[in-house]
Amino acid sequence: MSEKTNIIGLTREELTEKLTALGFEKFRAGQIWQWVYVKGATDFAQMTTINKAGQQKLAEHFSLARPKIAKDLTSFDQTRKWLLEFSDANKVETVFIPEEDRGALCVSSQVGCTLSCSFCHTGTMPLVRNLKASEIIGQVMIARDGLGEWPSSRGERSESTGSDPAQSLRASQDVKLFTNIVMMGMGEPLYNYEQVSRALKIIMDGEGIAISKRRITLSTSGVVPMIEKCGEELGVNLAISLHAVRDSLRDELIKKKKKYPIKALL
């Protein structure tokens, strides 16, 4: 039998096409989409709106593969870092940074980095490969798993908070720890634009994970040709890692042949 297709990372149109080819009604795509991206299902058996035969057929042809957690570390200030491992044994880091009224998830886009910025630890690593959309979205889903951010998890957390009134109130009001995404992890997102774009469009889908473009920031070292495309197609916030205000110093810091001068960037 051929390798199973991971549903995570498929566009809504691709999912519909693959399901109808297997004999499913079109509306099942919307149901499965919500099971995956609203409820965080990790097994087709959890999809109770689909009969047992349908669940079995889904399991035969598809997977819901998330990255493997190699390490899960929490700091004294509740900053949390996951070292995630993919099927080819490559690893990236994903970091949750909490604040009083919100929390940002720092997401990686490459294994290693296209650039070699002298002050950056990732810059000491060679680029191994770009991440696939499924691997970018997988980081978000692992964070939601770990923080209990799926609706069922929040309900369970509400019941388990016991005598802590602050946690009980937060759970009852459906308050989320994880509110923002920053594409500031390992790699240069605009050198993996196609997969980053695909992932962010799925993450922004209002009937799924539904994180608004206003709550997503993409950080770039200044890949000038891709910046306008990013603005036109995604409309997320843009952060520029300028590094220096003089091209001569910037050239020293970014050890990459293809750099764009500050004038072009501005």
Side-chain angles (χ1 to χ4, degrees):
M1 186 175 177
S2 60
E3 185 178 348
K4 294 181 182 181
T5 299
N6 191 357
I7 283 179
I8 297 170
L10 293 179
T11 65
R12 194 189 286 266
E13 293 75 19
E14 288 169 343
L15 177 59
T16 302
E17 183 181 338
K18 289 182 180 296
L19 289 173
T20 53
L22 290 172
F24 287 95
E25 304 96 326
K26 282 187 176 182
F27 74 88
R28 294 296 183 192
Q31 288 183 332
I32 294 168
W33 188 271
Q34 292 205 348
W35 276 109
V36 174
Y37 294 123
V38 177
K39 300 180 182 180
T42 56
D43 192 306
F44 294 109
Q46 296 171 325
M47 300 182 179
T48 53
T49 54
I50 297 170
N51 63 32
K52 296 289 185 183
Q55 292 174 5
Q56 185 174 348
K57 184 184 286 189
L58 288 171
E60 288 172 358
H61 294 274
F62 300 102
S63 74
L64 297 169
R66 285 159 159 71
K68 175 184 173 184
I69 300 174
K71 286 186 181 179
D72 181 351
L73 305 172
T74 303
S75 182
F76 68 92
D77 65 353
Q78 299 308 301
T79 295
R80 192 162 174 182
K81 179 189 290 185
W82 292 272
L83 180 65
L84 302 179
E85 182 176 332
F86 302 114
S87 58
D88 61 359
N90 281 306
K91 299 181 180 72
V92 298
E93 288 185 341
T94 306
V95 181
F96 172 70
I97 306 165
E99 297 181 34
E100 284 188 12
D101 59 344
R102 63 180 181 175
L105 187 72
C106 187
V107 176
S108 295
S109 57
Q110 296 179 314
V111 181
C113 189
T114 315
L115 306 172
S116 302
C117 301
S118 58
F119 54 84
C120 176
H121 183 61
T122 309
T124 67
M125 308 174 191
L127 175 67
V128 178
R129 67 172 175 86
N130 288 328
L131 293 185
K132 295 179 285 190
S134 60
E135 296 167 331
I136 295 169
I137 299 166
Q139 295 173 66
V140 175
M141 301 184 83
I142 287 288
R144 280 204 159 170
D145 292 344
L147 296 169
E149 293 286 79
W150 304 109
S152 60
S153 300
R154 291 198 292 274
E156 291 164 8
R157 185 171 55 211
S158 178
E159 294 171 7
S160 65
T161 49
S163 60
D164 188 333
Q167 288 189 39
S168 297
L169 177 63
R170 177 182 166 277
S172 67
Q173 292 178 339
D174 201 27
V175 177
K176 295 181 180 179
L177 289 167
F178 165 18
T179 59
N180 292 60
I181 287 177
V182 289
M183 295 297 303
M184 296 181 182
M186 296 169 64
E188 164 55 68
L190 294 187
Y191 280 133
N192 185 21
Y193 179 76
E194 294 307 320
Q195 294 300 309
V196 167
S197 173
R198 169 187 277 257
L200 291 182
K201 286 175 182 175
I202 292 171
I203 289 167
M204 292 188 290
D205 186 289
E207 295 182 19
I209 295 175
I211 295 179
S212 165
K213 63 183 180 182
R214 294 187 296 275
R215 293 187 175 272
I216 299 174
T217 299
L218 184 149
S219 177
T220 175
S221 62
V223 185
V224 170
M226 301 306 299
I227 287 175
E228 284 192 19
K229 186 174 183 180
C230 178
E232 290 168 1
E233 294 185 359
L234 300 177
V236 298
N237 298 306
L238 189 72
I240 306 291
S241 295
L242 194 61
H243 305 330
V245 296
R246 289 182 289 114
D247 282 323
S248 57
L249 178 55
R250 201 160 175 268
D251 289 347
E252 290 179 31
L253 295 174
I254 306 177
K255 309 292 186 182
K256 174 79 178 172
K257 289 182 180 179
K258 182 62 176 176
K259 290 182 287 288
Y260 297 93
I262 293 172
K263 182 178 180 181
L265 181 56
L266 293 176

